Amino acid sequence: LWKEIEQTLFTKKTNSELACLLERYVNSIVKFGAYVSLPFLAEGHISTTIHSKLIEKFGKEGETWFNIATDPVEIGSVLEEKLSLLEIAEKYKNHENISENLKKHVNEFSWMKNVGYFDEYYGENYYLERIKEESKSNPKEEIQKIKGENAQKREKLNKLLKLVYEDSKLQTMIITANLAIYFRSYRTEIFYNSGKYISPLFKEIAKRIKLSDYVDVLYLFPDEILSILHQEQEVPVELIEKRKVGYVYIGDGNEYFSVAGGEAIQLSEKLGLRSIQKDTSIIKGQPAFIGKVTGRVVVVQNSSELSKVSKGDILVTHATNIDYVPVLKLVSAIVTEEGGILSHASVISREFKIPAVIGTKIATKVFKDGDVVEVNAEKGIVKKI
């Protein structure tokens, strides 16, 4: 559907036809998004049940088995991209022509920089530099290593399933959790991928409703855009500027309530959506990938601040996304406010083998750039030193 919309010649369409295309996209996202609710509703129960049963059965070794149970064996987009790049790097090292492979790689993975609709994509030059870097070592050996590690993960999961075969319910929960964790990231990545197909439609809409900056259209709700295209209301320019400061949206799928600007900031504080500074030097969360690390904190509020990250830093953020991946190879640990076993940070920390404590709720409010902390991802504790 999204590819079909992308290939439309928008300049030949009326405003009503553009509105129809937008409705088709929004409806697909609503249906698509509905399925993410089910795993999240079950996440807490599945996680605590699996953990407690494995501890009961295996004692201290239960922690290790829990990590095996919640480490997805299906290869996600990050490793798919890595394998594809290594294959091209091997060709480059052997002095083969890589132009077609490079174009295909850009087409398949450039969206990984674009979390949203802001039209930011990785280009050929970015990937070419990475290919050159990878070709300096042994790409073929690295490919075998990644595939071997993934095979080992699958073997360990199968071994666990055999060890708990007498408890069919626990077996089912482990299989469900492992797949749910994979599909949670997969679903999110497919949603991010939609931006490259839909951005041209948003650009044409922005032009039609006389918004000079294409990004401004992203601060309008779908029903508002439809009303403007149908000439039922004027473009709310002042409201757009207020929403850039902040906005609160509360809805039930049919009706919604929204405020913007300073009023939104005040309401979010009253509702507890903006956590206040906590007077503490120790916070707790859930271990994702086990390990113990001491290092310097770098607080990243959003992807625009990723340039702050240096090798060995401890990344403290609300949540990670696919566009964080390039800097994650630099960090020594990850601490997030959001997250359970289905979170992106949980999955990526295991893929990259980075100690991580997730779901702390207040990490970015407690720590600041330059703080030295100890991340104990065995107990789920982060403390300032």
Side-chain angles (χ1 to χ4, degrees):
L1 170 65
W2 300 340
K3 286 179 180 178
E4 179 189 327
I5 291 174
E6 179 196 32
Q7 292 161 7
T8 302
L9 189 60
F10 300 119
T11 54
K12 300 289 185 182
K13 298 293 182 182
T14 64
N15 281 12
S16 293
E17 288 171 324
L18 289 181
C20 182
L21 290 171
L22 177 63
E23 280 190 291
R24 290 179 68 193
Y25 173 66
V26 171
N27 288 337
S28 76
I29 288 297
V30 170
K31 291 176 183 176
F32 192 61
Y35 292 97
V36 79
S37 306
L38 297 174
F40 278 125
L41 287 170
E43 178 183 25
H45 173 69
I46 288 176
S47 177
T48 54
T49 303
I50 292 173
H51 186 267
S52 62
K53 283 184 173 258
L54 291 179
I55 293 294
E56 182 184 333
K57 185 173 179 63
F58 300 108
K60 288 183 179 180
E61 289 184 7
E63 292 288 354
T64 302
W65 286 118
F66 179 73
N67 279 298
I68 289 169
T70 54
D71 189 3
V73 296
E74 298 295 330
I75 293 179
S77 297
V78 174
L79 283 184
E80 280 184 351
E81 191 274 336
K82 176 78 170 177
L83 288 168
S84 173
L85 198 83
L86 286 168
E87 287 171 1
I88 300 172
E90 179 67 15
K91 290 178 182 290
Y92 180 83
K93 189 171 185 175
N94 294 329
H95 307 291
E96 297 179 39
N97 189 323
I98 63 167
S99 57
E100 288 303 313
N101 302 91
L102 182 57
K103 286 178 182 175
K104 184 180 178 184
H105 189 89
V106 171
N107 186 54
E108 289 185 8
F109 299 107
S110 63
W111 60 269
M112 292 173 80
K113 187 180 181 182
N114 191 55
V115 177
Y117 306 92
F118 294 97
D119 229 20
E120 298 176 331
Y121 304 101
Y122 293 122
E124 287 191 11
N125 290 337
Y126 167 78
Y127 288 120
L128 190 56
E129 287 304 310
R130 284 185 58 201
I131 288 166
K132 289 178 180 178
E133 192 62 32
E134 294 288 359
S135 68
K136 291 177 183 177
S137 54
N138 191 328
K140 192 173 183 179
E141 191 177 282
E142 185 64 20
I143 291 170
Q144 291 171 343
K145 180 184 174 184
I146 291 171
K147 290 183 176 179
E149 287 175 349
N150 197 67
Q152 286 178 5
K153 282 203 298 185
R154 194 175 289 276
E155 284 177 15
K156 288 177 181 177
L157 179 64
N158 288 334
K159 182 179 179 180
L160 172 60
L161 293 173
K162 287 178 182 177
L163 288 172
V164 299
Y165 77 96
E166 293 177 347
D167 190 338
S168 59
K169 183 177 179 181
L170 177 58
Q171 259 196 343
T172 301
M173 292 183 87
I174 290 170
I175 293 168
T176 302
N178 201 275
L179 282 171
I181 293 164
Y182 164 74
F183 276 114
R184 191 275 184 182
S185 292
Y186 179 77
R187 183 213 68 93
T188 307
E189 289 160 5
I190 290 294
F191 171 68
Y192 293 153
N193 200 359
S194 76
K196 75 179 183 184
Y197 301 113
I198 303 303
S199 292
L201 172 61
F202 285 154
K203 287 179 180 177
E204 181 62 28
I205 289 173
K207 191 186 300 180
R208 293 287 181 92
I209 64 178
K210 295 181 172 56
L211 283 173
S212 56
D213 187 348
Y214 144 68
V215 173
D216 284 358
V217 80
L218 304 178
Y219 289 94
L220 294 172
F221 300 141
D223 65 308
E224 293 171 337
I225 298 173
L226 294 173
S227 294
I228 294 166
L229 285 171
H230 291 311
Q231 298 182 327
E232 294 168 357
Q233 74 172 75
E234 297 292 320
V235 179
V237 178
E238 289 184 11
L239 181 59
I240 289 171
E241 293 305 313
K242 283 184 178 180
R243 283 181 182 164
K244 289 179 181 178
V245 174
Y247 66 90
V248 171
Y249 176 102
I250 303 172
D252 62 2
N254 297 309
E255 297 181 355
Y256 69 85
F257 163 79
S258 176
V259 293
E263 189 179 353
I265 302 298
Q266 291 173 4
L267 178 58
S268 67
E269 288 173 349
K270 286 180 181 178
L271 294 174
L273 302 177
R274 290 162 58 88
S275 300
I276 59 172
Q277 176 77 29
K278 299 289 182 180
D279 183 19
T280 180
S281 60
I282 300 177
I283 61 173
K284 294 183 179 181
Q286 178 180 340
F289 185 77
I290 290 175
K292 193 182 288 186
V293 176
T294 298
R296 185 186 76 95
V297 164
V298 59
V299 178
V300 173
Q301 300 291 354
N302 54 61
S303 58
S304 68
E305 296 183 347
L306 289 172
S307 58
K308 291 164 49 177
V309 179
S310 300
K311 190 171 180 60
D313 284 344
I314 290 175
L315 174 65
V316 174
T317 187
H318 177 66
T320 64
N321 271 317
I322 194 79
D323 54 345
Y324 280 52
V325 169
V327 303
L328 293 182
K329 60 186 177 182
L330 300 174
V331 305
S332 59
I334 302 169
V335 180
T336 69
E337 295 179 325
E338 182 201 67
I341 60 170
L342 300 184
S343 69
H344 180 267
S346 178
V347 176
I348 211 72
S349 67
R350 290 185 176 96
E351 283 194 359
F352 283 16
K353 296 180 174 57
I354 305 170
V357 175
I358 58 176
T360 66
K361 302 187 188 308
I362 57 173
T364 66
K365 313 300 182 299
V366 171
F367 303 122
K368 63 182 186 300
D369 288 348
D371 283 347
V372 177
V373 300
E374 179 188 81
V375 177
N376 186 333
E378 294 170 6
K379 297 182 178 178
I381 294 172
V382 186
K383 67 177 180 180
K384 196 181 296 185
I385 297 176

